[in-house]
Coordinates of all heavy atoms in Angstrom, one line a residue:
M1 N 0.8 -1.2 0.0 CA 0.0 0.0 0.0 C 0.9 1.2 0.0 O 1.9 1.3 0.6 CB -0.9 0.0 1.3 CG -1.9 -1.1 1.3 SD -3.0 -1.2 -0.1 CE -4.5 -1.5 0.9
A2 N 0.5 2.2 -0.8 CA 1.2 3.4 -0.8 C 0.3 4.5 -1.1 O -0.9 4.3 -1.6 CB 2.4 3.3 -1.9
H3 N 0.7 5.7 -0.9 CA 0.0 7.0 -1.4 C -0.4 6.8 -2.8 O 0.4 6.3 -3.6 CB 0.8 8.2 -1.2 CG 1.4 8.4 0.2 ND1 0.7 8.8 1.2 CD2 2.6 8.2 0.6 CE1 1.5 8.9 2.3 NE2 2.7 8.6 1.9
P4 N -1.6 7.3 -3.4 CA -2.6 7.8 -2.4 C -3.7 6.7 -2.3 O -4.2 6.2 -3.2 CB -3.2 9.0 -3.4 CG -3.0 8.4 -4.8 CD -1.7 7.5 -4.7
D5 N -3.9 6.4 -1.0 CA -4.8 5.3 -0.8 C -5.7 5.6 0.5 O -6.0 4.8 1.2 CB -4.0 4.1 -0.5 CG -4.8 2.7 -0.3 OD1 -5.7 2.6 -1.2 OD2 -4.6 2.0 0.6
G6 N -6.1 6.9 0.5 CA -6.9 7.3 1.7 C -6.1 7.4 3.0 O -4.9 6.9 3.0
G7 N -6.6 8.0 3.9 CA -5.9 8.1 5.3 C -6.3 6.9 6.1 O -7.1 6.1 5.9
R8 N -5.6 6.9 7.4 CA -5.9 5.9 8.4 C -6.1 6.7 9.7 O -5.6 7.6 9.9 CB -4.7 5.0 8.6 CG -4.1 4.5 7.3 CD -4.8 3.3 6.8 NE -4.1 2.6 5.7 CZ -4.3 2.7 4.4 NH1 -5.4 3.4 4.0 NH2 -3.6 2.1 3.5
G9 N -6.9 6.0 10.5 CA -7.1 6.6 11.8 C -8.1 7.7 11.9 O -9.0 7.8 10.9
T10 N -8.0 8.6 12.8 CA -8.9 9.6 13.0 C -8.8 10.7 12.0 O -7.7 11.1 11.5 CB -8.7 10.3 14.4 OG1 -8.6 9.3 15.4 CG2 -9.6 11.3 14.8
R11 N -10.0 11.2 11.6 CA -10.0 12.4 10.5 C -10.1 13.7 11.3 O -10.8 13.8 12.2 CB -11.1 12.1 9.6 CG -11.2 13.2 8.5 CD -12.1 12.7 7.3 NE -11.6 13.5 6.2 CZ -11.9 13.2 5.0 NH1 -12.5 12.1 4.7 NH2 -11.5 14.0 3.9
F12 N -9.4 14.6 10.8 CA -9.3 15.9 11.5 C -9.7 17.0 10.6 O -9.6 16.8 9.2 CB -7.9 16.3 12.0 CG -7.4 15.3 13.1 CD1 -6.7 14.2 12.7 CD2 -7.7 15.6 14.4 CE1 -6.2 13.2 13.8 CE2 -7.3 14.7 15.5 CZ -6.5 13.6 15.0
Q13 N -10.1 18.1 11.1 CA -10.3 19.3 10.4 C -9.0 20.1 10.3 O -8.5 20.5 11.4 CB -11.4 20.3 11.0 CG -12.7 19.8 10.8 CD -13.3 20.2 9.3 OE1 -13.3 19.3 8.5 NE2 -13.7 21.4 9.2
R14 N -8.5 20.3 9.1 CA -7.2 21.1 9.0 C -7.7 22.6 8.5 O -8.6 22.8 7.8 CB -6.3 20.6 8.0 CG -6.0 19.1 8.1 CD -5.0 18.9 9.4 NE -4.6 17.4 9.4 CZ -4.3 16.9 10.5 NH1 -4.2 17.5 11.7 NH2 -3.9 15.6 10.5
A15 N -6.9 23.5 9.0 CA -7.2 24.9 8.6 C -6.7 25.1 7.2 O -7.3 26.1 6.5 CB -6.2 25.9 9.5
H16 N -5.8 24.3 6.7 CA -5.2 24.5 5.3 C -5.3 23.2 4.6 O -5.4 22.1 5.2 CB -3.8 25.0 5.3 CG -3.6 26.2 6.2 ND1 -3.3 26.1 7.4 CD2 -3.5 27.5 5.8 CE1 -3.2 27.4 7.9 NE2 -3.3 28.2 6.8
T17 N -5.4 23.2 3.2 CA -5.4 22.0 2.4 C -4.1 21.6 2.2 O -3.0 22.2 2.3 CB -6.1 22.4 1.0 OG1 -5.2 23.3 0.3 CG2 -7.5 22.9 1.2
F18 N -3.9 20.3 1.7 CA -2.6 19.8 1.2 C -2.0 20.6 0.2 O -0.8 20.9 0.2 CB -2.8 18.3 0.8 CG -1.5 17.7 0.3 CD1 -0.5 17.2 1.1 CD2 -1.3 17.9 -1.1 CE1 0.7 16.7 0.6 CE2 0.0 17.4 -1.6 CZ 1.0 16.8 -0.8
E19 N -2.8 21.1 -0.7 CA -2.2 21.9 -1.8 C -1.7 23.2 -1.3 O -0.6 23.7 -1.8 CB -3.3 22.2 -2.9 CG -3.7 21.0 -3.7 CD -4.5 19.9 -2.9 OE1 -5.1 20.3 -1.9 OE2 -4.5 18.7 -3.4
Q20 N -2.3 23.8 -0.3 CA -1.8 25.0 0.3 C -0.5 24.8 1.0 O 0.5 25.5 1.0 CB -2.8 25.6 1.2 CG -4.0 26.2 0.6 CD -5.1 26.7 1.6 OE1 -5.4 26.0 2.5 NE2 -5.6 27.9 1.4
A21 N -0.5 23.7 1.7 CA 0.8 23.3 2.5 C 1.9 23.0 1.4 O 3.0 23.3 1.7 CB 0.5 22.0 3.4
Y22 N 1.6 22.2 0.5 CA 2.6 21.9 -0.5 C 3.2 23.2 -1.1 O 4.5 23.2 -1.3 CB 2.0 21.0 -1.7 CG 3.0 20.4 -2.6 CD1 3.6 19.2 -2.3 CD2 3.3 21.0 -3.8 CE1 4.5 18.7 -3.2 CE2 4.3 20.5 -4.7 CZ 4.8 19.3 -4.3 OH 5.7 18.8 -5.2
A23 N 2.4 24.1 -1.5 CA 2.9 25.4 -2.0 C 3.7 26.1 -0.9 O 4.8 26.7 -1.3 CB 1.7 26.3 -2.4
F24 N 3.3 26.0 0.2 CA 4.1 26.7 1.5 C 5.4 26.1 1.6 O 6.4 26.8 1.9 CB 3.2 26.6 2.6 CG 3.7 27.3 3.9 CD1 3.6 28.7 4.1 CD2 4.4 26.6 4.9 CE1 4.2 29.3 5.2 CE2 4.9 27.1 6.0 CZ 4.8 28.5 6.1
V25 N 5.5 24.9 1.4 CA 6.8 24.1 1.8 C 7.8 24.3 0.7 O 9.0 24.0 0.9 CB 6.5 22.6 1.9 CG1 7.7 21.7 1.8 CG2 5.7 22.4 3.3
A26 N 7.5 24.9 -0.5 CA 8.5 25.0 -1.6 C 9.8 25.3 -1.1 O 10.1 26.2 -0.4 CB 7.9 26.1 -2.5
G27 N 10.7 24.4 -1.4 CA 12.0 24.4 -0.8 C 12.1 23.6 0.4 O 12.2 22.4 0.4
E28 N 12.1 24.4 1.5 CA 12.2 23.7 2.8 C 11.6 24.6 4.0 O 11.8 25.8 3.9 CB 13.7 23.5 3.1 CG 14.0 22.8 4.3 CD 15.5 22.5 4.5 OE1 16.1 21.8 3.6 OE2 16.0 23.0 5.5
V29 N 10.9 24.0 4.8 CA 10.3 24.7 6.0 C 10.6 24.0 7.2 O 10.5 22.8 7.3 CB 8.7 24.8 5.7 CG1 8.1 25.3 7.0 CG2 8.4 25.8 4.6
Q30 N 10.9 24.7 8.3 CA 11.2 24.1 9.6 C 10.1 24.6 10.5 O 9.7 25.8 10.5 CB 12.6 24.5 10.1 CG 13.7 24.0 9.2 CD 15.0 24.1 9.8 OE1 15.2 24.7 10.9 NE2 16.0 23.4 9.2
F31 N 9.6 23.7 11.3 CA 8.4 24.0 12.3 C 8.5 23.1 13.3 O 9.1 22.0 13.3 CB 7.1 24.0 11.5 CG 6.8 22.6 11.0 CD1 6.1 21.8 11.7 CD2 7.2 22.2 9.8 CE1 5.7 20.5 11.3 CE2 7.0 20.9 9.4 CZ 6.2 20.1 10.1
P32 N 7.8 23.4 14.4 CA 7.7 22.3 15.6 C 6.5 21.4 15.4 O 5.4 21.9 15.0 CB 7.6 23.2 16.8 CG 6.9 24.5 16.3 CD 7.4 24.7 14.9
S33 N 6.7 20.1 15.7 CA 5.6 19.2 15.7 C 4.8 19.4 17.0 O 5.4 20.0 17.9 CB 6.1 17.7 15.7 OG 6.7 17.4 16.9
T34 N 3.6 18.9 17.0 CA 2.8 19.0 18.4 C 3.3 18.2 19.4 O 3.0 18.3 20.6 CB 1.4 18.6 18.1 OG1 1.3 17.3 17.6 CG2 0.7 19.5 17.0
T35 N 4.4 17.4 19.1 CA 5.1 16.6 20.1 C 6.4 17.3 20.5 O 7.3 16.6 21.1 CB 5.3 15.2 19.6 OG1 5.8 15.3 18.3 CG2 4.0 14.4 19.6
G36 N 6.7 18.5 20.0 CA 7.9 19.2 20.5 C 9.1 18.9 19.7 O 10.2 19.3 20.1
Q37 N 9.1 18.2 18.5 CA 10.2 18.0 17.8 C 10.4 19.1 16.7 O 9.5 19.7 16.3 CB 10.1 16.7 17.0 CG 10.1 15.4 17.8 CD 9.8 14.1 17.0 OE1 8.7 13.9 16.6 NE2 10.8 13.4 16.7
N38 N 11.8 19.3 16.4 CA 12.0 20.3 15.3 C 12.0 19.5 14.0 O 12.7 18.5 13.8 CB 13.5 20.8 15.5 CG 13.5 21.7 16.7 OD1 12.7 22.5 16.9 ND2 14.5 21.5 17.5
I39 N 11.0 19.9 13.1 CA 10.7 19.1 11.9 C 11.1 19.9 10.7 O 10.9 21.1 10.7 CB 9.3 18.7 11.9 CG1 8.8 17.8 13.1 CG2 8.9 18.0 10.6 CD1 9.6 16.6 13.2
T40 N 11.7 19.3 9.7 CA 11.9 20.0 8.5 C 11.0 19.2 7.4 O 11.0 18.0 7.4 CB 13.4 19.8 8.0 OG1 14.2 20.4 9.0 CG2 13.6 20.4 6.7
A41 N 10.3 20.1 6.7 CA 9.4 19.5 5.6 C 9.9 19.8 4.2 O 10.5 21.0 4.1 CB 8.0 20.1 5.8
R42 N 9.9 18.8 3.3 CA 10.4 19.1 2.0 C 9.4 18.3 1.0 O 8.6 17.5 1.5 CB 11.8 18.6 1.7 CG 12.9 19.1 2.6 CD 14.2 18.6 2.1 NE 15.3 19.0 3.1 CZ 15.7 18.2 4.1 NH1 15.3 17.1 4.3 NH2 16.6 18.7 4.9
H43 N 9.4 18.7 -0.2 CA 8.6 18.1 -1.2 C 9.2 16.6 -1.5 O 10.4 16.5 -1.4 CB 8.7 18.8 -2.6 CG 7.8 20.0 -2.5 ND1 7.9 20.9 -3.5 CD2 7.0 20.6 -1.6 CE1 6.9 21.9 -3.2 NE2 6.5 21.7 -2.1
G44 N 8.3 15.7 -1.8 CA 8.7 14.4 -2.3 C 7.7 13.9 -3.3 O 6.7 14.6 -3.6
T45 N 7.9 12.7 -3.8 CA 7.1 12.0 -4.6 C 7.1 10.5 -4.2 O 8.1 10.0 -3.5 CB 7.4 12.1 -6.1 OG1 8.7 11.4 -6.3 CG2 7.3 13.4 -6.7
T46 N 6.0 9.8 -4.6 CA 6.0 8.3 -4.3 C 7.0 7.7 -5.2 O 7.6 8.3 -6.1 CB 4.6 7.8 -4.6 OG1 4.2 8.3 -5.8 CG2 3.7 8.2 -3.5
N47 N 7.4 6.4 -5.0 CA 8.5 5.8 -5.8 C 8.1 5.7 -7.2 O 9.0 5.8 -8.0 CB 8.6 4.3 -5.2 CG 9.3 4.3 -3.9 OD1 9.9 5.3 -3.5 ND2 9.1 3.2 -3.1
D48 N 6.8 5.7 -7.6 CA 6.5 5.7 -9.0 C 6.5 7.1 -9.7 O 6.1 7.2 -10.8 CB 5.1 4.9 -9.2 CG 3.9 5.6 -8.6 OD1 4.1 6.7 -7.9 OD2 2.9 5.0 -8.5
G49 N 6.7 8.0 -8.8 CA 6.8 9.4 -9.3 C 5.4 10.0 -9.6 O 5.2 11.2 -10.1
Q50 N 4.3 9.3 -9.2 CA 2.9 9.8 -9.7 C 2.3 10.7 -8.6 O 1.4 11.4 -9.0 CB 2.1 8.6 -9.9 CG 2.6 7.7 -11.1 CD 2.6 8.4 -12.4 OE1 1.6 8.9 -12.8 NE2 3.8 8.4 -12.9
T51 N 2.7 10.6 -7.4 CA 2.0 11.4 -6.4 C 2.9 12.2 -5.6 O 3.9 11.9 -5.2 CB 1.3 10.3 -5.4 OG1 0.5 9.4 -6.1 CG2 0.5 11.0 -4.2
Q52 N 2.5 13.6 -5.5 CA 3.3 14.6 -4.8 C 3.0 14.2 -3.3 O 2.0 14.0 -2.8 CB 2.9 15.9 -5.1 CG 3.2 16.3 -6.5 CD 2.8 17.7 -6.9 OE1 1.8 18.2 -6.4 NE2 3.4 18.4 -7.7
T53 N 4.1 14.4 -2.5 CA 4.0 14.3 -1.1 C 4.8 15.4 -0.3 O 5.7 16.1 -1.0 CB 4.6 13.0 -0.6 OG1 6.0 12.8 -0.9 CG2 3.9 11.7 -1.2
I54 N 4.5 15.6 0.9 CA 5.3 16.4 1.8 C 6.0 15.4 2.8 O 5.4 14.5 3.4 CB 4.5 17.4 2.6 CG1 3.9 18.4 1.6 CG2 5.4 18.2 3.6 CD1 2.9 19.3 2.3
V55 N 7.4 15.5 2.9 CA 8.1 14.6 3.6 C 8.6 15.3 4.9 O 9.2 16.4 4.8 CB 9.4 14.0 2.8 CG1 10.0 12.9 3.7 CG2 8.8 13.5 1.5
F56 N 8.5 14.6 6.0 CA 8.8 15.2 7.4 C 10.2 14.5 7.8 O 10.1 13.3 7.9 CB 7.7 15.0 8.3 CG 6.4 15.7 8.0 CD1 5.3 14.9 7.7 CD2 6.3 17.1 7.9 CE1 4.1 15.4 7.3 CE2 5.1 17.6 7.5 CZ 4.0 16.8 7.2
H57 N 11.1 15.3 8.2 CA 12.4 14.8 8.7 C 12.5 15.5 10.1 O 12.2 16.6 10.4 CB 13.6 15.3 7.9 CG 13.6 14.6 6.6 ND1 14.4 13.5 6.3 CD2 13.0 14.9 5.4 CE1 14.2 13.2 5.1 NE2 13.3 13.9 4.5
S58 N 13.1 14.7 11.1 CA 13.6 15.2 12.4 C 15.0 15.0 12.4 O 15.7 14.5 11.4 CB 12.9 14.6 13.5 OG 13.5 13.2 13.7
E59 N 15.7 15.3 13.5 CA 17.1 15.0 13.7 C 17.4 13.6 13.5 O 18.6 13.3 13.4 CB 17.6 15.7 14.9 CG 17.0 15.2 16.3 CD 15.7 15.9 16.5 OE1 15.2 16.8 15.8 OE2 15.1 15.5 17.6
R60 N 16.4 12.8 13.8 CA 16.6 11.3 13.8 C 16.3 10.8 12.4 O 16.4 9.6 12.2 CB 15.6 10.6 14.8 CG 15.9 11.0 16.1 CD 15.2 10.0 17.1 NE 13.7 10.3 17.2 CZ 12.8 9.3 17.1 NH1 13.1 8.0 17.0 NH2 11.5 9.7 17.2
G61 N 16.0 11.6 11.4 CA 15.9 11.1 10.1 C 14.5 11.2 9.5 O 13.7 12.0 10.1
R62 N 14.2 10.6 8.4 CA 12.9 10.6 7.9 C 11.9 10.0 8.8 O 11.9 8.9 9.2 CB 12.9 9.9 6.5 CG 11.5 9.9 5.7 CD 11.7 9.0 4.5 NE 10.5 8.9 3.8 CZ 10.1 9.5 2.6 NH1 11.2 10.0 1.9 NH2 9.0 9.2 2.1
M63 N 10.7 10.8 9.1 CA 9.7 10.2 10.0 C 8.5 9.8 9.3 O 7.9 8.8 9.8 CB 9.4 11.4 11.0 CG 10.6 12.0 11.8 SD 11.5 10.7 12.6 CE 10.5 10.4 14.0
A64 N 8.0 10.6 8.4 CA 6.8 10.2 7.7 C 6.6 11.1 6.4 O 7.3 12.1 6.3 CB 5.6 10.4 8.7
D65 N 5.6 10.7 5.7 CA 5.3 11.7 4.6 C 3.7 11.6 4.5 O 3.1 10.8 5.1 CB 5.9 11.3 3.2 CG 5.6 9.9 2.8 OD1 4.9 9.1 3.5 OD2 6.1 9.4 1.7
V66 N 3.3 12.6 3.7 CA 1.7 12.8 3.6 C 1.4 13.2 2.2 O 2.2 14.0 1.5 CB 1.3 13.8 4.7 CG1 1.9 15.1 4.4 CG2 -0.2 13.9 4.7
C67 N 0.3 12.8 1.7 CA -0.2 13.1 0.3 C -1.6 13.7 0.5 O -2.0 13.9 1.6 CB -0.3 11.9 -0.6 SG -1.6 10.8 -0.2
S68 N -2.1 14.2 -0.5 CA -3.5 14.9 -0.5 C -4.5 14.0 0.1 O -5.4 14.6 0.8 CB -3.8 15.4 -1.8 OG -4.0 14.3 -2.7
Q69 N -4.4 12.8 0.0 CA -5.5 11.9 0.5 C -5.4 11.6 1.9 O -6.4 11.3 2.6 CB -5.6 10.6 -0.2 CG -6.1 10.7 -1.7 CD -6.6 9.4 -2.2 OE1 -6.7 8.4 -1.5 NE2 -6.9 9.4 -3.6
C70 N -4.2 11.8 2.6 CA -4.1 11.5 4.0 C -3.8 12.7 4.8 O -3.5 12.6 6.0 CB -3.1 10.3 4.2 SG -1.4 10.5 3.5
W71 N -3.7 13.8 4.2 CA -3.5 15.0 4.9 C -4.4 15.3 6.1 O -4.0 15.8 7.1 CB -3.6 16.3 3.9 CG -3.6 17.7 4.5 CD1 -4.7 18.5 4.6 CD2 -2.4 18.4 5.0 NE1 -4.2 19.6 5.2 CE2 -2.8 19.6 5.3 CE3 -1.1 18.0 5.1 CZ2 -1.9 20.5 5.8 CZ3 -0.2 19.0 5.6 CH2 -0.7 20.3 6.1
D72 N -5.7 14.9 5.9 CA -6.7 15.1 7.0 C -6.7 14.1 8.1 O -7.5 14.1 9.0 CB -8.1 15.2 6.4 CG -8.3 16.4 5.5 OD1 -7.6 17.4 5.7 OD2 -9.2 16.3 4.7
F73 N -5.8 13.1 8.0 CA -5.8 12.0 9.0 C -4.6 12.0 9.9 O -3.6 12.6 9.8 CB -5.9 10.7 8.1 CG -7.2 10.4 7.4 CD1 -7.4 11.0 6.2 CD2 -8.2 9.8 8.1 CE1 -8.6 10.9 5.6 CE2 -9.3 9.5 7.4 CZ -9.6 10.1 6.1
G74 N -4.9 11.2 11.0 CA -3.8 11.0 12.0 C -2.8 10.1 11.6 O -1.5 10.3 11.9
N75 N -3.1 9.2 10.8 CA -2.1 8.2 10.2 C -2.1 8.3 8.7 O -3.2 8.5 8.0 CB -2.4 6.8 10.6 CG -2.1 6.5 11.9 OD1 -2.1 7.4 12.8 ND2 -1.8 5.3 12.3
N76 N -0.9 8.3 8.0 CA -0.8 8.4 6.6 C -1.2 7.1 5.8 O -1.6 6.2 6.5 CB 0.5 9.0 6.1 CG 1.6 7.9 6.2 OD1 1.3 6.7 6.5 ND2 2.8 8.3 6.1
C77 N -1.2 7.2 4.5 CA -1.6 6.0 3.8 C -0.5 5.2 3.2 O -0.7 4.5 2.2 CB -2.8 6.3 2.7 SG -2.2 7.7 1.5
S78 N 0.6 5.3 3.8 CA 1.8 4.6 3.3 C 2.2 3.4 4.4 O 1.8 3.5 5.5 CB 3.1 5.6 3.3 OG 4.2 4.9 2.9
G79 N 2.8 2.4 3.8 CA 3.2 1.4 4.7 C 2.0 0.2 4.8 O 1.3 0.0 3.9
D80 N 1.9 -0.2 6.0 CA 0.9 -1.4 6.2 C -0.5 -0.8 6.4 O -0.7 0.4 6.2 CB 1.4 -2.2 7.5 CG 1.5 -1.4 8.8 OD1 0.7 -0.4 8.8 OD2 2.1 -1.9 9.7
R81 N -1.4 -1.6 6.9 CA -2.8 -1.3 6.9 C -3.1 -0.1 7.9 O -4.1 0.7 7.6 CB -3.6 -2.4 7.4 CG -4.0 -3.5 6.4 CD -5.0 -4.4 6.8 NE -4.5 -5.1 8.1 CZ -5.1 -5.2 9.1 NH1 -6.3 -4.6 9.4 NH2 -4.6 -5.8 10.2
T82 N -2.2 0.1 8.8 CA -2.5 1.1 9.8 C -1.8 2.5 9.4 O -2.1 3.5 10.0 CB -2.0 0.8 11.2 OG1 -0.6 0.4 11.2 CG2 -2.7 -0.4 11.8
G83 N -1.0 2.4 8.4 CA -0.2 3.6 8.0 C 0.8 4.0 9.1 O 1.1 3.2 10.0
T84 N 1.4 5.2 8.8 CA 2.4 5.6 9.7 C 1.8 6.9 10.4 O 1.2 7.7 9.8 CB 3.7 6.1 9.0 OG1 4.2 4.9 8.3 CG2 4.7 6.7 9.9
R85 N 2.0 7.0 11.7 CA 1.5 8.2 12.4 C 2.2 9.4 12.0 O 3.4 9.5 12.0 CB 1.7 8.0 13.9 CG 1.0 9.1 14.8 CD 0.8 8.8 16.2 NE 0.3 9.9 17.0 CZ 1.1 10.7 17.7 NH1 2.3 10.4 18.0 NH2 0.5 11.7 18.3
A86 N 1.4 10.3 11.4 CA 1.9 11.5 10.9 C 1.2 12.9 11.4 O 1.6 13.9 11.1 CB 1.9 11.5 9.3
G87 N 0.1 12.7 12.1 CA -0.7 13.7 12.5 C 0.0 14.8 13.3 O -0.3 16.0 13.2
Q88 N 1.1 14.4 14.1 CA 1.8 15.4 14.8 C 2.6 16.3 14.0 O 2.9 17.4 14.5 CB 2.6 14.7 16.0 CG 3.8 13.9 15.4 CD 3.5 12.5 15.2 OE1 2.4 12.2 14.5 NE2 4.3 11.6 15.5
Y89 N 3.0 15.8 12.9 CA 3.7 16.7 11.9 C 2.7 17.5 11.1 O 3.0 18.7 10.8 CB 4.6 15.8 11.0 CG 5.4 14.8 11.8 CD1 5.2 13.5 11.4 CD2 6.2 15.1 12.8 CE1 6.0 12.5 12.1 CE2 6.9 14.1 13.6 CZ 6.8 12.8 13.3 OH 7.4 11.8 13.9
I90 N 1.7 16.9 10.6 CA 0.7 17.5 9.7 C 0.1 18.8 10.5 O 0.0 19.8 10.1 CB -0.4 16.6 9.3 CG1 0.3 15.5 8.4 CG2 -1.5 17.4 8.5 CD1 -0.8 14.2 8.2
R91 N -0.3 18.5 11.8 CA -0.9 19.5 12.6 C 0.0 20.6 12.8 O -0.3 21.8 12.9 CB -1.5 18.9 13.9 CG -2.3 20.0 14.6 CD -3.0 19.4 15.8 NE -3.4 20.4 16.7 CZ -3.7 20.2 18.0 NH1 -3.8 19.0 18.4 NH2 -4.2 21.2 18.8
G92 N 1.3 20.3 13.2 CA 2.3 21.2 13.4 C 2.5 22.1 12.3 O 2.6 23.4 12.4
L93 N 2.6 21.6 11.1 CA 2.7 22.4 9.8 C 1.5 23.2 9.6 O 1.6 24.5 9.3 CB 3.1 21.5 8.7 CG 3.2 22.1 7.3 CD1 4.2 23.2 7.2 CD2 3.4 21.1 6.2
D94 N 0.4 22.6 9.7 CA -0.9 23.3 9.5 C -1.0 24.6 10.4 O -1.4 25.6 10.0 CB -2.1 22.3 9.7 CG -3.4 22.9 9.3 OD1 -3.4 23.4 8.2 OD2 -4.4 22.7 10.1
E95 N -0.6 24.4 11.7 CA -0.7 25.6 12.6 C 0.4 26.5 12.3 O 0.2 27.8 12.4 CB -0.6 25.1 14.0 CG -1.9 24.3 14.4 CD -1.7 23.7 15.9 OE1 -0.6 23.8 16.4 OE2 -2.8 23.1 16.2
F96 N 1.5 26.1 11.9 CA 2.7 26.9 11.6 C 2.4 27.9 10.4 O 2.9 29.0 10.3 CB 3.9 26.1 11.3 CG 5.2 26.9 11.1 CD1 5.9 27.5 12.1 CD2 5.7 27.0 9.8 CE1 7.0 28.2 12.0 CE2 6.9 27.8 9.6 CZ 7.5 28.4 10.7
M97 N 1.5 27.4 9.5 CA 1.2 28.3 8.4 C 0.4 29.4 8.6 O 0.2 30.4 7.9 CB 0.4 27.4 7.3 CG 1.3 26.4 6.6 SD 0.3 25.1 5.8 CE -0.3 26.1 4.4
D98 N -0.3 29.5 9.8 CA -1.1 30.7 10.1 C -0.3 32.0 10.3 O 0.9 32.0 10.7 CB -1.9 30.5 11.4 CG -3.0 29.4 11.2 OD1 -3.5 29.3 10.1 OD2 -3.3 28.8 12.2
Ligands
LIG101 ZN1 -1.1 9.5 1.5

């Protein structure tokens, strides 16, 4: 399973759309996650190059990525059935954009 395959877990109301966030991230953006990590966001694509993603890195490396279909969810649509928890980065970026 890979993006775009819908999100996983709880659905949230975001202040901004994935498209707005993708435009905001152009280049590189640093912001705090809701869990207090310093996160760097960059553009990415899925392995097949078909889907645009935002990739979240911490000082520990690549943490998660998000596409337009899982932007509203707590867990992304990459990896296994439960996805990867990404809501703490998505919400952090969403709030940082204000
Ligand atoms: Zn996704």
Side-chain angles (χ1 to χ4, degrees):
M1 298 299 225
H3 307 283
D5 191 42
R8 312 275 190 259
T10 306
R11 184 162 200 160
F12 295 93
Q13 281 284 99
R14 307 288 185 205
H16 305 88
T17 64
F18 174 84
E19 288 71 22
Q20 288 174 317
Y22 189 87
F24 182 78
V25 163
E28 182 177 296
V29 169
Q30 296 192 348
F31 65 94
S33 72
T34 58
T35 48
Q37 291 175 283
N38 294 315
I39 301 299
T40 301
R42 299 188 188 94
H43 286 175
T45 59
T46 48
N47 288 339
D48 63 8
Q50 297 298 304
T51 303
Q52 293 179 326
T53 60
I54 297 170
V55 186
F56 301 114
H57 292 262
S58 78
E59 61 278 358
R60 293 193 288 134
R62 181 186 172 112
M63 304 306 286
D65 59 0
V66 62
C67 73
S68 61
Q69 286 200 9
C70 53
W71 170 256
D72 290 336
F73 289 85
N75 288 25
N76 72 12
C77 53
S78 182
D80 63 18
R81 278 189 305 122
T82 58
T84 299
R85 187 162 176 254
Q88 68 271 44
Y89 315 125
I90 299 169
R91 185 173 164 195
L93 177 58
D94 191 42
E95 292 179 350
F96 185 74
M97 290 169 64
D98 286 334

